[in-house]
Amino acid sequence: MRVFAGIVLLAVCVVIGFFYSRKYTVRKKEFEFLKTFNSRVKSEVAFSKSSLISLVKKIDDERAVANYVREFFLRKNDRLEGLGVLKKEEKEFLSDYVKKLGQGDVSAQKDFLSEAGVVIDGYLSECVRQEKQYGSLSLKLGFLFGLIILIILL
């Protein structure tokens, strides 16, 4: 009976470690989407000059950042809901970024999108670094903690 309880606790600790490490992966994917979206908007502004609304309607991604961009442009909803994996500073940047899209002339938009691309790249590199540093670590710590509990129970 103690062995079974120990194995169950081991599994629970591994699952907790997995879900904790998952936030780093999700955060990285959110910024990968934002980087792709920024480059797409940049190319649309520079070459095809199609409307921003038509570009937003083409987003078929279900990530939190994609939903926020869609809600802002299609429904004028600027509440930062569902962005729990982002830090406060990142949420403020995202809000400012979306509000400034479509403002000004073409050259101002190109400059803004280039500057935003640099900031997004910085956030993305930080996310990649944190995922490498903490992602597998929390999974391993969950396993080790569960293993310690199993040994104590035996």
Side-chain angles (χ1 to χ4, degrees):
M1 184 66 179
R2 290 190 318 189
V3 173
F4 179 71
I7 291 173
V8 168
L9 284 173
L10 175 68
V12 167
C13 290
V14 168
V15 168
I16 289 171
F18 171 75
F19 281 115
Y20 185 75
S21 69
R22 190 168 165 239
K23 78 177 186 177
Y24 295 107
T25 305
V26 169
R27 189 166 161 251
K28 182 184 86 166
K29 289 184 180 185
E30 295 289 351
F31 278 106
E32 285 173 346
F33 165 78
L34 193 57
K35 181 179 179 177
T36 304
F37 178 75
N38 188 58
S39 63
R40 189 178 302 158
V41 170
K42 193 174 175 181
S43 67
E44 290 287 330
V45 166
F47 300 113
S48 69
K49 297 181 177 47
S50 63
S51 74
L52 193 55
I53 300 294
S54 66
L55 182 63
V56 169
K57 286 181 180 178
K58 293 178 186 176
I59 297 174
D60 60 348
D61 206 324
E62 289 301 319
R63 290 190 176 84
V65 173
N67 288 333
Y68 174 69
V69 170
R70 255 195 313 271
E71 286 290 317
F72 183 82
F73 283 106
L74 300 180
R75 295 188 181 85
K76 298 297 181 194
N77 180 7
D78 65 344
R79 291 188 313 234
L80 293 167
E81 296 173 350
L83 297 171
V85 295
L86 301 182
K87 298 175 185 174
K88 182 180 179 185
E89 169 189 321
E90 296 165 346
K91 289 179 185 179
E92 290 172 359
F93 168 76
L94 178 63
S95 178
D96 291 342
Y97 171 79
V98 171
K99 288 176 183 174
K100 290 179 184 176
L101 281 179
Q103 306 293 323
D105 61 344
V106 174
S107 64
Q109 278 295 295
K110 286 180 190 177
D111 293 340
F112 167 71
L113 292 169
S114 296
E115 292 170 9
V118 171
V119 174
I120 292 169
D121 286 339
Y123 283 138
L124 183 60
S125 65
E126 179 187 340
C127 291
V128 168
R129 182 190 61 78
Q130 286 181 346
E131 183 190 27
K132 286 180 182 176
Q133 186 175 8
Y134 301 120
S136 63
L137 178 68
S138 58
L139 187 62
K140 291 173 186 174
L141 285 176
F143 177 75
L144 286 175
F145 186 68
L147 197 60
I148 289 171
I149 292 173
L150 179 66
I151 291 171
I152 290 173
L153 286 177
L154 292 179

